[in-house]
């Protein structure tokens, strides 16, 4: 079989790669894959490409719920009134040692 | 799922505790999908937070016709596209006959060795996978990730990207062939 013969299967292989080849619409392709090791290898490599990306996942380091809710709170009009600051309550003052 | 519907209804009427529960339930999923698109952990975190902020503000437009996760994916996609436009001058949509896809229609026959079956991919392999996907224009990347990795339907992907079904299919084919050819030198025996 020449490369041209395989090439007409290329698009179909690509299209059907995530489908169940046992279905009747895939009959021709399935038969070709059975007798053509080159196309079968191609099919296999496409399938593996997808699986590799499926397996590549990342974990979050920690929940972001608090940050997200805090950002949403900023959307709301401010309703908190600050308590009046009494004299001598300035905690930022450094204590002399 | 029923639990979700209740939480969504409560969140719609401004219940932030309910919304917090939804965030907790979906944040890993959204983070993971964001990473799949932008390939950067810091950006993924930014996109994920932005997505939930947008989701809260736009919750009333969630009709329940699609899965909540699909709706969130759509927001992620928009955020990634927006961020991409802001930070780069490269066009999001590549031309159909772009040089990038030259050669992908040729059958480079090669037998691949065994690829790792489990989710444990080593650092070198991750770099190979990153390098390949980063070369792919964003809209192709999104189609591949939504359809092949997350398993959304072609129609759902089309709706998210405002693309017709044939356009989604054509991008998916190109993305698959492109990635396969990029990985080929690494795996061919
Ligand atoms: Zn063949």
């Amino acid at each position: 079989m020449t490369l041209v013969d395989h090439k007409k299967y290329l698009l179909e292989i690509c299209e059907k790669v995530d489908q169940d080849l046992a279905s009747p619409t895939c009959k021709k392709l399935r038969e070709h894959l059975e007798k053509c090791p080159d196309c079968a290898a191609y099919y296999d490599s496409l399938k593996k490409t997808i699986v590799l990306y499926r397996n590549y996942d990342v974990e979050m380091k920690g929940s972001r719920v608090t940050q997200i809710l805090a950002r949403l709170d900023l959307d709301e009009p401010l309703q908190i009134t600050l308590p009046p600051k009494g004299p001598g309550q300035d905690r930022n003052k450094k204590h002399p040692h | 799922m029923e639990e979700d519907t209740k939480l969504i209804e409560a969140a719609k009427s401004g219940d932030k505790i309910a919304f917090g529960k939804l965030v907790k339930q979906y944040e890993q999923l959204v983070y993971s999908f964001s990473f799949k698109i932008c390939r950067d952990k810091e950006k993924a975190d930014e996109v994920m937070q932005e997505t939930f902020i947008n989701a809260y503000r736009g919750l009333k437009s969630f009709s329940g016709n699609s899965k909540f996760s699909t709706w969130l994916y759509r927001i992620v996609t928009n955020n990634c596209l927006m961020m991409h436009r802001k930070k780069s001058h490269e066009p999001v949509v590549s031309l159909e006959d772009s040089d990038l896809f030259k050669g992908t229609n040729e059958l480079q026959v090669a037998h691949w060795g065994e690829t790792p079956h489990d989710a444990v991919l080593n650092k070198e392999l991750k770099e190979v996978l990153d390098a390949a996907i980063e070369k792919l224009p964003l809209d192709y990347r999104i189609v591949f990730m939504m359809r092949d990795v997350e398993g959304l339907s072609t129609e759902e992907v089309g709706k998210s990207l405002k693309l017709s079904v044939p356009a989604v299919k054509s991008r998916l084919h190109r993305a698959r062939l492109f990635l396969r050819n990029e990985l080929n030198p690494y795996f061919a025996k």
Side-chain angles (χ1 to χ4, degrees):
Chain A
M1 196 170 289
T2 67
L3 202 59
V4 182
D5 292 315
H6 302 296
K7 267 176 99 173
K8 65 178 184 191
Y9 284 104
L10 179 68
L11 195 69
E12 211 188 335
I13 287 172
C14 186
E15 195 176 311
K16 302 283 168 64
V17 69
D18 64 336
Q19 291 174 26
D20 181 11
L21 289 189
S23 76
T25 49
C26 299
K27 192 171 177 272
K28 254 186 126 176
L29 176 63
R30 194 177 59 237
E31 281 168 4
H32 180 73
L33 291 180
E34 271 163 20
K35 60 178 187 218
C36 177
D38 286 349
C39 284
Y42 199 85
Y43 179 83
D44 175 68
S45 65
L46 261 174
K47 216 171 174 170
K48 279 175 175 165
T49 299
I50 295 172
V51 172
L52 281 165
Y53 282 103
R54 275 189 196 148
N55 287 346
Y56 186 163
D57 212 350
V58 288
E59 283 278 326
M60 237 173 34
K61 284 210 182 85
S63 173
R64 289 282 186 263
V65 176
T66 319
Q67 283 97 320
I68 292 165
L69 291 184
R71 279 178 67 184
L72 286 174
D73 275 331
L74 296 177
D75 287 352
E76 309 288 313
L78 265 182
Q79 283 169 347
I80 315 148
T81 40
L82 295 166
K85 215 184 247 175
Q89 284 191 343
D90 196 343
R91 281 159 190 265
N92 289 329
K93 249 183 205 160
K94 273 184 188 151
H95 293 281
H97 283 289
Chain B
M1 209 58 209
E2 202 185 314
E3 185 67 17
D4 275 9
T5 315
K6 274 184 205 155
L7 288 175
I8 292 163
E9 281 314 308
K12 270 184 186 175
S13 51
D15 181 343
K16 288 213 178 95
I17 294 173
F19 187 70
K21 283 183 185 167
L22 285 169
V23 172
K24 207 148 198 173
Q25 214 162 301
Y26 287 96
E27 60 181 342
Q28 173 58 49
L29 192 83
V30 170
Y31 174 76
S32 163
F33 182 65
S34 305
F35 177 81
K36 281 169 187 155
I37 307 297
C38 56
R39 312 310 294 183
D40 179 291
K41 286 182 180 172
E42 224 167 274
K43 276 187 206 162
D45 189 33
E46 199 181 322
V47 167
M48 185 266 285
Q49 293 197 39
E50 210 52 48
T51 296
F52 282 111
I53 304 282
N54 298 151
Y56 185 77
R57 290 177 187 152
L59 207 53
K60 284 197 169 72
S61 75
F62 175 67
S63 58
N65 285 335
S66 66
K67 280 204 274 181
F68 190 55
S69 56
T70 307
W71 187 71
L72 291 173
Y73 282 171
R74 211 171 297 160
I75 305 176
V76 170
T77 302
N78 284 337
N79 283 337
C80 287
L81 287 166
M82 244 156 47
M83 203 192 231
H84 189 81
R85 280 188 202 114
K86 243 191 269 171
K87 288 182 184 169
S88 92
H89 299 288
E90 148 200 0
V92 172
V93 181
S94 68
L95 298 168
E96 285 295 305
D97 58 354
S98 135
D99 279 350
L100 191 65
F101 295 106
K102 268 185 193 151
T104 48
N105 281 324
E106 272 151 46
L107 190 59
Q108 308 165 348
V109 175
H111 293 259
W112 283 21
E114 278 308 300
T115 53
H117 281 294
D118 49 11
V120 190
L121 303 176
N122 65 34
K123 195 169 168 271
E124 188 196 354
L125 183 51
K126 279 183 177 172
E127 280 169 9
V128 171
L129 294 175
D130 280 338
I133 198 108
E134 275 165 19
K135 283 188 201 161
L136 207 54
L138 201 57
D139 58 332
Y140 288 80
R141 207 188 290 178
I142 293 170
V143 166
F144 176 78
M145 287 300 171
M146 281 188 138
R147 181 73 191 85
D148 276 345
V149 176
E150 299 296 328
L152 268 68
S153 72
T154 312
E155 287 75 16
E156 282 172 326
V157 178
K159 229 172 129 186
S160 301
L161 289 170
K162 296 187 178 74
L163 286 174
S164 67
V165 167
V168 171
K169 282 189 178 170
S170 128
R171 276 171 174 72
L172 182 67
H173 288 170
R174 282 163 177 263
R176 282 172 174 173
L177 293 178
F178 177 82
L179 292 172
R180 184 263 170 210
N181 285 6
E182 284 293 310
L183 302 184
N184 193 44
Y186 189 81
F187 286 109
K189 274 196 281 193

